Amino acid sequence: MPPLDRLTSSPVLPASADVVVVGGGIVGCFTAYYLARRGMTVALVEKGIVGGEQSSRNWGWCRQQNRDARELPMARAAIDLWEAFGRETGEQTGFHRCGLVYLSNNQEEIDTWASWGSFAKSEGVETYMLSAADTLEKGRATGRQWKGGVYSPTDGSADPSIAAPAVARAIMKLGGTVMQNCAVRGLELQGGRVAGVVTESGTIRTTNVVLANGAWASSFCHQYGVRFPQASIRQTALQVGAGDNSAIPAALYTSDGHANVAMTRRSNGHYALAISGAACVDPTPQFLRFSAQFMPMFLKRWRKLKIGGLQGVTSGHETLSKWRLDRETPMERMRILDPTPDAASVRKTHRRAVDLVPELGSRPIVASWAGFVDSTPDGVPGIGALDAIPGVILAAGFSGHGFGIGPGAGHLIADLVSGAAPIVDPKPYHPDRFQSSAWGKVAEF
């Protein structure tokens, strides 16, 4: 497990709620928070612990920089919402606009950043290309010369070890319910419309449900004949202890043309380290079912992926089996997706980071972990009403971007549930698009 603040649950499962949010990750938490702020009674129900899966296992970057054009409006909204949340609640998520630094010796990569920068400036995003001379200052901790880079001063990071629990506490302060170790087994329907949520601890009457259950979303939808193409990749990361951080950027990505490494400062001064895009694909029944739809994604990114093992199968989140509501489900057998980190990846990541910033070599590895990143065929999340089950909104498949855009996504979902004017155009995210091919539509970043 990665470092994670623990939360005390609400004492009682409510008999009813205006909205039930399934899944206590960052998107589910912010969705419930914005609903509670609007005076709606909301129950956030999590099978394990709040933030226990991918919301505590990511880099923590809250960026506009290098976002796909479809995600950029949500990313822009999210940056301001991260900042506003702290003012509104007094809760600490570790968010700060530290600026993101990208350095590279790969000219093709630099040219791609420059092209994106021209587009972003037309959208009002503050971003600056760095010359080779500029990189001497931004990359002084590396002691290297870089061909170029990019700097986004208004972007930042939050701390995945404390953020989701902080939002969950804010929900309870507003009168909402947060239940942990309480798996949602399924839905009760009346006349084809949702009428309740069946949990292992009882039923909550409701006419509105948000499925923000991450890597479990597709298998859950499968119970109701809803086809949601989703595939998980397994990534490894680690964390080193605190030290002299005066010369090291708070959020740094570097690429020498052959290898990359990213490092992010946490609120306790530790650094999280990872290799961007490197992942294992565990063959599962769900993976095989949707493999044709994911072919454009795999062909675009195959150089960074390798075939994994049986962890995806044994975890149970990508099953095609059906389960009963009166018996134990896969979610109860696997409360938290906590795959074993790949030891070779830990060594490689640490070696690259220390080679890049020798100061990190004196710091012990204090944690390592792996996580399942749930992806869609085009790398853009699926957010929208499920026509097959009136009253249900899907919010999953965030493809490794969910943490940073979490507040924006949560606000949008709350808008859709409550009927408010949406904070951003919801059309690019609607899951109906998965009925067509992803060829030519795969996110660039």
Side-chain angles (χ1 to χ4, degrees):
M1 282 283 292
L4 179 62
D5 191 17
R6 298 301 176 100
L7 179 80
T8 299
S9 300
S10 300
V12 180
L13 186 79
S16 64
D18 292 333
V19 190
V20 175
V21 179
V22 183
I26 198 71
V27 172
C29 286
F30 269 116
T31 298
Y33 169 71
Y34 289 117
L35 289 168
R37 275 180 59 86
R38 297 171 195 203
M40 301 182 77
T41 59
V42 59
L44 178 73
V45 187
E46 165 57 44
K47 64 179 174 33
I49 58 177
V50 166
E53 293 187 341
Q54 200 54 32
S55 291
S56 60
R57 298 163 192 264
N58 60 87
W59 294 7
W61 285 28
C62 305
R63 63 179 173 90
Q64 303 161 98
Q65 181 68 40
N66 290 343
R67 286 288 185 199
D68 182 87
R70 290 161 289 186
E71 280 189 354
L72 184 58
M74 188 179 291
R76 290 181 61 195
I79 289 289
D80 291 336
L81 292 171
W82 273 112
E83 207 161 47
F85 174 79
R87 295 194 304 268
E88 294 164 357
T89 67
E91 294 286 348
Q92 299 301 312
T93 63
F95 175 78
H96 62 305
R97 292 182 186 254
C98 58
L100 307 183
V101 179
Y102 293 69
L103 304 174
S104 182
N105 283 323
N106 183 332
Q107 190 59 51
E108 182 180 355
E109 189 171 42
I110 294 169
D111 291 344
T112 299
W113 293 342
S115 176
W116 183 90
S118 297
F119 152 73
K121 287 180 179 178
S122 70
E123 297 293 314
V125 177
E126 190 177 2
T127 181
Y128 301 98
M129 292 303 298
L130 301 175
S131 66
D134 294 331
T135 66
L136 289 175
E137 170 60 23
K138 295 296 183 186
R140 66 184 186 279
T142 70
R144 298 186 185 185
Q145 179 71 56
W146 301 90
K147 283 186 177 181
V150 65
Y151 176 56
S152 51
T154 59
D155 285 348
S157 68
D159 190 336
S161 69
I162 61 175
V167 183
R169 284 192 296 271
I171 295 166
M172 290 189 283
K173 289 178 182 177
L174 291 169
T177 298
V178 177
M179 301 301 299
Q180 298 178 106
N181 293 302
C182 183
V184 171
R185 292 177 171 177
L187 308 174
E188 277 196 0
L189 305 179
Q190 289 183 0
R193 181 181 177 86
V194 68
V197 168
V198 180
T199 80
E200 63 179 291
S201 301
T203 298
I204 307 172
R205 296 294 171 192
T206 188
T207 55
N208 294 285
V209 175
V210 176
L211 295 180
N213 43 354
W216 297 85
S218 184
S219 61
F220 192 98
C221 288
H222 179 62
Q223 307 305 304
Y224 301 93
V226 174
R227 192 177 190 276
F228 173 42
Q230 185 181 41
S232 295
I233 58 172
R234 179 164 46 86
Q235 293 185 319
T236 292
L238 68 141
Q239 189 165 304
V240 296
D244 180 6
N245 296 330
S246 58
I248 310 174
L252 173 66
Y253 167 93
T254 63
S255 172
D256 64 5
H258 303 286
N260 72 72
V261 66
M263 53 189 67
T264 314
R265 188 185 306 157
R266 295 287 172 90
S267 55
N268 59 3
H270 293 192
Y271 268 88
L273 311 175
I275 295 175
S276 177
C280 295
V281 179
D282 295 334
T284 66
Q286 184 173 293
F287 168 82
L288 296 174
R289 180 190 186 199
F290 297 128
S291 58
Q293 277 189 265
F294 276 89
M295 192 58 65
M297 173 77 75
F298 292 142
L299 290 177
K300 195 177 188 71
R301 301 180 180 176
W302 67 270
R303 290 179 179 85
K304 295 182 178 181
L305 302 176
K306 64 180 182 179
I307 297 297
L310 296 177
Q311 290 198 65
V313 172
T314 58
S315 293
H317 63 294
E318 294 197 349
T319 180
L320 295 182
S321 65
K322 297 290 184 77
W323 55 74
R324 290 176 50 170
L325 304 189
D326 60 350
R327 295 184 181 177
E328 184 184 61
T329 66
M331 290 84 74
E332 291 148 87
R333 292 190 288 272
M334 181 60 69
R335 296 281 179 185
I336 301 171
L337 289 175
D338 188 28
T340 303
D342 181 69
S345 294
V346 171
R347 291 192 296 270
K348 180 189 293 186
T349 304
H350 187 248
R351 183 173 63 251
R352 285 187 186 176
V354 171
D355 181 58
L356 180 72
V357 180
E359 153 64 22
L360 297 178
S362 62
R363 309 186 189 191
I365 296 176
V366 296
S368 63
W369 61 85
F372 286 108
V373 179
D374 62 303
S375 303
T376 62
D378 58 11
V380 175
I383 302 173
L386 294 181
D387 294 337
I389 320 175
V392 176
I393 289 179
L394 177 68
F398 281 80
S399 306
H401 305 160
F403 185 83
I405 64 176
H411 198 296
L412 172 62
I413 298 159
D415 294 338
L416 297 176
V417 172
S418 65
I423 190 171
V424 296
D425 181 6
K427 186 176 180 180
Y429 314 110
H430 200 284
D432 280 356
R433 73 182 191 277
F434 300 129
Q435 296 176 17
S436 60
S437 170
W439 288 104
K441 303 173 186 176
V442 177
E444 289 297 325
F445 300 100

